[in-house]
Amino acid sequence: MAKYTRPALLTAALWGAAVAPALAQTASAKPKTDAVAPASAAVKPVGDADIVGSVNGKPITWGQVVARLRADDPEGLKTAVAQVVGVKAANVLVSPAAPAQVTITRAEALDAVHAQPSQPVTNQLQFMLTEQALDIEAAKAGVSIPASQVDEKISKLIKDARVKSNIPASVTDDQFLTQARVTRSRLIHNTRAQLQIQALIRKDIETTLGHPIGAGDYLQARHILVKVDAPAPDAKPEDTKKADDAALAKITQVAADLKANKKTFEAAAKESSDDPGTKDQGGELGVFARGMMVKPFEQVAFTLKPNELSAPVRTDFGYHLIQVEKLGSDLTPDQRQATLDRYESSRGQAFLGDLLNKRVKVVNNLRPPQQADVRGPNGMPLRRMPPVRVNATRDPKP
C-alpha cells in the first residue's frame, strides 16, 4: 500500500502534542537541574501508581502516562524504551568482562525511561496535564464536548485529507491513518482538546461581548491607513502635533477625493495607504469579527452601512478611512464560521498560557529529556546520545 504525506488539515488536529508541552512546562514544578546519572548507576524502581504530575491536586500517575503512550503513540514508547535499553546494553557490552547477553526486564526498562524520559514521554505527560486543565475549566464554564461532535470533526478532517491527498476510495480510513502514522486514539484525544479550547475561547469572547456571537458581530470591509510619523526621542510637543496634523491632512484629502469620485477606494488605497498587508489588495481586510480589530477602529466600523465612508479614525497605527463592503447578515454562514475559526485559532496559545499559568495549578514532576551517556570501562563517556525526537505526531498548530 502506498504511503501518503499527512495533509495539513490532519496535522492541525495534532497541534496539541506540540503546543501543550511548551506551555505546560512553564507551569511545572521547579525543574531538576542535577546531572543525568551514569547509565551504569542503579535506577530507583518506580511503580505504576507513582505520581508524576497533577492539576489542582488531581494526580496523573506513571502508569497512566505509559498506558496513554501505548495507545496514542506506540512508536514514541518504543523509541523511549529502545533508547534506554540501548544505553544499558552498550554500557554492559563494552565492559572488560562483557557477558554473552544482556537481560533487562520490562519493569527495569520502564524504570529507566522514567529516570531519563525522552521527548515523546515528556510530551505525553504535558499533554495529559493540559487535557486535565481543560476538563477543569470546561466543567467550570459549563462546556461539554459530546463524543458525536468529536467523531464528526474527525470525519471531516479525514474527508478533507482524502481530497487534498487524492487518496483512493479503496484505502480505508484506518489504513490511511496507519500510513500517516497517526493513531485513532491520539486523533480523538487531540481533537477533543481542540474543540474544548475553541468552545472555551468562544465563551470568553461572548462574555466580553455581553451576548452570544451572532451575524451582527461580523463585517467585510476595506481601509486606507496613513501612518503618523513616530516622533524623535527628544521631540517637542509641537513636533508631535505637527506629525499628527500632517497625517490627518493627508487622510482628509484622500477622503475628499473619494467623496468627489475622483478615485475609487481601491485605487486610493493602492496609491496612498501605508498598510503593506492590504495596500496592494485595494485596502481589503476581508471578513472580521468583533474583537479582532483595535477598539477605536471597530467602534466606528460596526456603525457603518455598506459602501458608507467613515470619517478619519485615529488609532495607534495612524489615521484610517473605513468602508464596509458587507454586513454580517450578508455573509454566508461558512464565511462567518471560517472567520470565527481563525479568530479562535489566533487566541489559542494565549488562552492555553493563561489557563496553565494562572487559572489552574499545574505540577510536573517528570525529569525533562536530557542527553544520555554511553560509558566505557573507565566510566568516561564514549559518545553522547541526544534524545530521539519523533516528529510524526509532533507537528505544531493553526
Side-chain angles (χ1 to χ4, degrees):
M1 182 166 52
K3 291 187 178 181
Y4 306 101
T5 302
R6 175 158 11 110
L9 284 178
L10 190 56
T11 298
L14 303 174
W15 60 270
V19 174
L23 294 167
Q25 190 65 33
T26 64
S28 64
K30 184 178 179 180
K32 299 179 181 180
T33 57
D34 51 311
V36 178
S40 57
V43 176
K44 181 182 177 181
V46 59
D48 283 352
D50 280 29
I51 296 172
V52 291
S54 65
V55 181
N56 285 1
K58 184 177 179 181
I60 293 177
T61 66
W62 175 239
Q64 289 173 315
V65 172
V66 173
R68 273 289 295 274
L69 263 173
R70 190 177 290 115
D72 287 8
D73 189 10
E75 292 303 315
L77 181 58
K78 288 179 187 176
T79 297
V81 172
Q83 182 173 309
V84 295
V85 170
V87 171
K88 174 180 172 65
N91 278 301
V92 173
L93 294 175
V94 298
S95 64
Q101 63 182 23
V102 177
T103 302
I104 181 169
T105 66
R106 175 184 178 278
E108 289 173 334
L110 292 178
D111 286 350
V113 170
H114 179 275
Q116 294 182 343
S118 60
Q119 199 72 42
V121 180
T122 56
N123 278 2
Q124 186 63 66
L125 171 60
Q126 290 161 348
F127 182 63
M128 290 171 71
L129 290 168
T130 302
E131 281 183 308
Q132 198 150 283
L134 287 169
D135 285 343
I136 290 171
E137 192 68 11
K140 191 189 306 180
V143 168
S144 176
I145 306 297
S148 58
Q149 187 179 352
V150 176
D151 292 341
E152 182 181 349
K153 178 70 172 178
I154 290 174
S155 294
K156 185 179 185 305
L157 285 167
I158 295 177
K159 181 180 178 181
D160 291 345
R162 282 182 172 280
V163 173
K164 278 184 168 287
S165 294
N166 195 26
I167 301 166
S170 59
V171 176
T172 67
D173 288 353
D174 286 337
Q175 287 173 329
F176 167 58
L177 291 176
T178 298
Q179 291 298 324
R181 300 189 302 279
V182 178
T183 65
R184 188 172 285 274
S185 175
R186 179 173 289 285
L187 194 55
I188 289 171
H189 286 126
N190 286 1
T191 301
R192 180 175 179 272
Q194 186 181 45
L195 291 172
Q196 276 185 313
I197 291 171
Q198 290 174 339
L200 288 167
I201 290 174
R202 190 168 309 176
K203 198 86 169 180
D204 282 353
I205 293 172
E206 291 179 341
T207 298
T208 301
L209 293 177
H211 61 261
I213 299 172
D217 296 307
Y218 299 88
L219 285 177
Q220 181 176 339
R222 53 175 81 223
H223 83 136
I224 295 170
L225 168 67
V226 173
K227 290 183 178 179
V228 177
D229 291 336
D234 57 348
K236 298 177 181 178
E238 54 265 31
D239 295 329
T240 301
K241 185 178 185 305
K242 184 178 179 181
D244 193 280
D245 289 345
L248 179 57
K250 182 178 177 180
I251 200 81
T252 301
Q253 182 59 55
V254 173
D257 290 344
L258 290 172
K259 290 176 182 177
N261 293 320
K262 292 183 179 180
K263 298 174 184 176
T264 64
F265 196 99
E266 182 178 2
K270 290 181 177 180
E271 180 182 313
S272 303
S273 183
D274 292 327
D275 181 1
T278 64
K279 178 185 178 77
D280 293 339
Q281 287 74 47
E284 181 62 58
L285 290 165
V287 180
F288 57 89
R290 291 186 196 270
M292 294 179 72
M293 300 295 181
V294 292
K295 200 160 189 178
F297 184 101
E298 185 176 282
Q299 286 175 330
V300 172
F302 278 92
T303 66
L304 299 174
K305 299 175 182 177
N307 299 317
E308 182 181 358
L309 183 68
S310 74
V313 179
R314 183 69 159 93
T315 72
D316 290 340
F317 298 99
Y319 282 98
H320 307 255
L321 290 176
I322 309 168
Q323 186 180 64
V324 168
E325 296 175 280
K326 289 183 180 181
L327 300 175
S329 56
D330 298 322
L331 298 167
T332 67
D334 285 347
Q335 286 177 308
R336 295 196 296 266
Q337 186 59 52
T339 301
L340 184 59
D341 289 345
R342 288 197 308 274
Y343 188 21
E344 291 169 348
S345 177
S346 70
R347 294 181 55 165
Q349 287 198 31
F351 171 83
L352 280 175
D354 182 70
L355 171 65
L356 297 169
N357 292 299
K358 296 178 181 178
R359 301 191 192 187
V360 297
K361 181 181 179 182
V362 179
V363 176
N364 184 339
N365 295 322
L366 199 60
R367 181 198 296 269
Q370 300 188 44
Q371 290 184 319
D373 287 339
V374 176
R375 296 178 179 269
N378 59 358
M380 297 297 291
L382 293 177
R383 61 188 176 93
R384 301 289 288 176
M385 294 182 63
V388 179
R389 299 183 185 275
V390 180
N391 294 322
T393 56
R394 298 288 182 266
D395 297 304
K397 71 169 185 177

